[in-house]
Amino acid sequence: MRTVSNGYLIQLDGLRFVAVALVLVDHWLAEINKIPLGPLGVTLFFVLSGFLITRILMVSKEKTEGQPGGLGKYLRKFYIRRTLRIFPVYYLSIFVLYVLDVPPVRDTIWWCVLYATNIYIAVNQKWLGVIDHFWSLAVEEQFYLFFPFFIFFLPRRWLVPSLAVMAVCSLLLRMYFYYQGYEWVVNYVSMPTCLDSFAMGGFMAWLQLKRFELFKKVFSKTIWIWLGLASWILVVSWSKTNVDAMDPRTIHNVANDVWERFFASIFCSFLIGKAVLGFEGGMKWFLENSVSNYLGKISYGLYVYHNFVYNHFHITATHPTIRMLNKIYQYIPVLKGVTAFEIVFFFMLTTLVAAFSWHFIEKPINNLKDRYAY
């Protein structure tokens, strides 16, 4: 495996940057981009989370199972570490948006506080403006509520079959929602309909820990990455057929509502597996160079803050970012309307905010994990 001295899987930080970059491009270029890069980025996060969380929980179970108070130690370590990593930036964002009265935070404050924005979106079938991206964080937290118990109490021999059932049931639930005529957003943001991504990541973790030679044999071959990518492209192409530009209902069909996440998860699984073993050549340079590595480390902040900097669907002409752009255009009018400049500008602003958050909020709190998660 490609690790640094402490066993950290170094190329996965590069993949975190890839995942968040796909989301940023999707949200910032929504007017011209027609490829579901955002959903692909979110799926990459989900599969990666399934892999890492299952790996952590399986190792922790081995250390604590059968000990007095073993379950308590197992749960305490997991939840303290997750809380210290995820909660501070999330709740700080909610607090600031609430104080500034940024819609719709005050109207949906308890949905935000309880990590239930995805449920709000599914029930009301409408998005939440500048906090609509929090739906994926809600899915992650809801997954964390049950999955540690799932791993701890499930007999080892049942883990792989159970993960397979989880993936199949998730796919069948998306089919049910689709053919029963539910709005596409229900399929997209509901936690149970995302579980095939987490399950595939979980299977990879089991394979890496328990059948490592088979893991190497499967994920060392880049042909599977290309086949996974090709399958995803075919599904996306299928989703674009028979689309009537005058009828927005035809944009969402069985291809993108049911199958896109499944095949994206397969592609992401092979991508992650290869990164665990270590890419060579140009991909190794990209995933391991200091810039990609750093941006991967601050990817959580990049994701949380990017919608506040700019989102094509929600930002108004009076937003500070737009006012800054207009001020630049007064002095350098030739830049007005240059998409590449605007994307670089949005990215630099988001990176500055995320970097400040990482060094002064996230990293200091994150360093407490080993002190309290004993």
Side-chain angles (χ1 to χ4, degrees), residues 115-131:
Y115 270 98
T117 52
N118 65 323
I119 299 174
Y120 177 92
I121 293 168
V123 170
N124 294 280
Q125 297 179 10
K126 65 177 182 180
W127 291 95
L128 288 169
V130 296
I131 58 168

Side-chain angles (χ1 to χ4, degrees), residues 65-100:
E65 191 178 31
Q67 296 181 10
L71 176 61
K73 293 177 182 177
Y74 166 88
L75 293 176
R76 182 170 59 247
K77 183 173 183 178
F78 176 78
Y79 284 118
I80 288 178
R81 293 176 72 90
R82 288 291 89 197
T83 297
L84 291 174
R85 181 66 189 100
I86 302 299
F87 281 15
V89 167
Y90 177 81
Y91 283 114
L92 176 63
S93 299
I94 294 299
F95 174 75
V96 171
L97 293 170
Y98 184 90
V99 170
L100 296 177

Side-chain angles (χ1 to χ4, degrees), residues 98 101-112 120 126 128:
Y98 184 90
D101 194 17
V102 176
V105 175
R106 290 192 179 181
D107 292 336
T108 59
I109 186 60
W110 288 110
W111 296 92
C112 298
Y120 177 92
K126 65 177 182 180
L128 288 169

